[in-house]
Amino acid sequence: MQIYKVGGVVRDRLLGLADADVDRVVVGATVEQMLALGYRPVGADFPVFLHPQTGDEYALARTERKSGRGYGGFTFHASPEVTLEEDLIRRDLTINAMAEDDDGRITDPFNGQQDLKDRILRHISPAFAEDPLRVLRVARFAARFAGLGFTVAPETLELMRQLSESGELQALTPERSWREIARALMADHPQVFIQVLRDCGALKELLPELDALFGVPQPVAHHPEVDTGAHTLAVLAQAAQHGQPLTVRWACLLHDLGKGLTPQTEWPRHIAHEQRGLKLIGAVNQRFKVPRDCQELALLVGEYHTHGHRALELKASTLLELLQSFDVYRRPERFEAFIAACEMDARGRLGLEERLYPQADYLRGAAQAARSVAVPPLVQQGLTGQALGEAIKRERLKALQAYKAAQAE
């Protein structure tokens, strides 16, 4: 029985990166041997065990064969006869198909070390095209390692294009797709993930609403980059550069979907794109079963981001409606995420990346003014129910009017 570290932990060590999660493969062992040594089985589809002391995962070397559609359409075979190379060849990329023994010796049957040096993401074998999830995985790795200069090999991109055209992407479960999307959005260069998906034709299969934005012009006075798709990628890049959380990055990705529905006769203006986009944002949220916090913020940012940009011009009554929509009294963090998304949107324009965004502090001040209204005195006046609600609203409106007046001085 031989045990090897495999995959990401080997790759990242050779790149000088922080250790990834450690995956281990066991060659030459049976299920019975693992059980006799005290390992606890956890794998439902293939033999994976937890170490009796450390709790680390150990998987028996296995081969796989395509038996159906989608990510789960495989039959696995594990036995002591399966070699390390046979286990490694079923992996996706050469840089993920290296193994390391306890003495630090590297087994690299597919030249992964050379591709690391050349900064190439290259598939191992034609079997790559059997698993549609690999399209998303490769795009995610491209986003993760873009800062190191990695690019996708042309022949791998071609296989990804064939997979995209085959209809196999439709067999992916929402949960699997979202997991890859979420991880990619949290990479240092998430815009590269979207660009690679578009380059191989996967974006129009998975996110046609987003793909439709490329080639749609915007007014050059407000958007020097003109193209709405390019703007969206730039907004996403800003969100990553400023360390925004997943909720904000997801909202940034979807905020302008309504512009894809603007009739060409109205280009480059996009009047009411905020409202038009809500149905599309909702559809995307449902398609990938997006977590609720991401869903909510994406819809709110889609509807109100232009309010954010025009904050200093808004009437006190409109400001109050905006604050009410976000429930800033009980969920202040959601309004803060909205402000962040608006600022990323403003910065995601060619040549305007460093422009100040005074709307951010103005909106924070407005929220604080509305929150400063004391409710107990109104209750002490005997107000209840609808009358109390209306009184609170009147006092908050007064507070916002005073805030606006003070800002104007």
Side-chain angles (χ1 to χ4, degrees):
M1 186 172 80
Q2 293 174 294
I3 298 174
Y4 300 88
K5 294 177 183 177
V6 293
V9 66
V10 181
R11 175 201 66 222
D12 288 358
R13 186 183 70 76
L14 293 174
L15 285 173
L17 302 176
D19 286 345
D21 292 335
V22 180
D23 292 323
R24 295 177 177 84
V25 67
V26 183
V27 177
T30 65
V31 171
E32 292 73 22
Q33 285 175 309
M34 298 296 285
L35 293 174
L37 291 170
Y39 286 81
R40 291 176 287 127
V42 292
D45 300 320
F46 45 83
V48 177
F49 300 86
L50 298 182
H51 191 280
Q53 277 79 48
T54 66
D56 293 338
E57 285 192 1
Y58 291 71
L60 292 189
R62 63 186 188 272
T63 59
E64 62 185 32
R65 181 173 56 85
K66 184 74 168 172
S67 59
R69 293 191 74 199
Y71 171 82
F74 291 89
T75 300
F76 298 95
H77 170 68
S79 80
E81 286 74 38
V82 176
T83 65
L84 178 60
E85 183 170 329
E86 287 173 329
D87 181 88
L88 293 174
I89 199 173
R90 65 181 178 77
R91 298 169 189 271
D92 49 8
L93 300 174
T94 61
I95 64 170
N96 295 332
M98 296 178 285
E100 183 178 357
D101 65 18
D102 289 340
D103 296 321
R105 288 189 295 263
I106 301 293
T107 299
D108 180 17
F110 309 108
N111 298 315
Q113 292 177 91
Q114 187 60 51
D115 282 343
L116 281 181
K117 292 177 183 176
D118 296 338
R119 300 304 199 241
I120 292 291
L121 301 173
R122 191 193 314 277
H123 67 283
I124 295 172
S125 75
F128 173 94
E130 295 178 349
D131 184 356
L133 190 67
R134 288 174 171 170
V135 172
L136 290 169
R137 278 177 53 83
V138 173
R140 173 167 64 81
F141 282 123
R144 179 180 175 187
F145 295 130
L148 296 177
F150 277 83
T151 58
V152 181
E155 61 271 28
T156 301
L157 196 66
E158 177 57 32
L159 271 184
M160 292 165 68
R161 185 176 294 110
Q162 293 174 20
L163 255 176
S164 300
E165 294 172 353
S166 72
E168 279 271 316
L169 293 176
Q170 305 305 321
L172 291 175
T173 65
E175 294 82 4
R176 278 286 177 183
S177 296
W178 173 250
R179 182 170 179 242
E180 291 297 326
I181 291 169
R183 293 176 73 184
L185 290 182
M186 291 308 295
D188 289 340
H189 300 276
Q191 73 279 9
V192 174
F193 172 72
I194 301 299
Q195 186 61 59
V196 170
L197 290 183
R198 187 163 185 267
D199 290 344
C200 71
L203 192 63
K204 65 182 177 183
E205 298 296 323
L206 296 167
L207 283 163
E209 303 89 348
L210 185 59
D211 190 65
L213 298 183
F214 290 87
V216 174
Q218 303 167 106
V220 68
H222 301 296
H223 288 278
E225 72 285 347
V226 180
D227 188 277
T228 307
H231 165 63
T232 299
L233 296 189
V235 174
L236 190 56
Q238 286 293 315
Q241 185 176 322
H242 287 83
Q244 299 296 345
L246 178 61
T247 51
V248 173
R249 298 189 192 201
W250 181 243
C252 286
L253 184 67
L254 305 186
H255 78 284
D256 266 349
L257 290 189
K259 291 181 179 179
L261 297 178
T262 303
Q264 291 190 25
T265 53
E266 298 179 15
W267 287 357
R269 301 180 70 197
H270 298 277
I271 297 172
H273 75 276
E274 304 90 348
Q275 291 297 323
R276 282 199 303 269
L278 294 181
K279 186 176 180 180
L280 300 182
I281 294 171
V284 172
N285 280 334
Q286 292 303 311
R287 183 179 311 143
F288 298 111
K289 296 185 178 179
V290 175
R292 187 170 179 176
D293 57 345
C294 289
Q295 288 198 36
E296 290 179 350
L297 187 65
L299 287 165
L300 287 166
V301 170
E303 184 171 3
Y304 293 112
H305 62 277
T306 49
H307 276 46
H309 301 327
R310 294 176 49 244
L312 280 67
E313 309 162 22
L314 297 180
K315 296 185 297 184
S317 57
T318 306
L319 263 178
L320 180 59
E321 290 173 6
L322 177 66
L323 298 174
Q324 300 277 83
S325 297
F326 280 85
D327 192 8
V328 296
Y329 317 106
R330 293 182 298 179
R331 301 187 62 181
E333 74 290 340
R334 187 168 65 177
F335 192 60
E336 189 61 38
F338 165 73
I339 293 172
C342 289
E343 183 169 357
M344 298 306 100
D345 183 24
R347 290 177 179 272
R349 294 178 291 166
L350 186 63
L352 303 176
E353 296 85 357
E354 302 300 325
R355 176 177 282 191
L356 296 177
Y357 194 68
Q359 295 93 324
D361 283 340
Y362 184 87
L363 287 169
R364 291 186 185 105
Q368 184 55 41
R371 279 195 293 262
S372 68
V373 170
V375 176
L378 300 175
V379 175
Q380 290 168 10
Q381 294 176 26
L383 297 173
T384 60
Q386 184 177 347
L388 176 61
E390 290 175 353
I392 294 172
K393 189 173 181 179
R394 282 194 302 271
E395 292 302 314
R396 286 171 174 165
L397 181 59
K398 289 179 185 177
L400 287 171
Q401 289 168 338
Y403 173 74
K404 282 186 65 68
Q407 295 298 306
E409 292 178 357

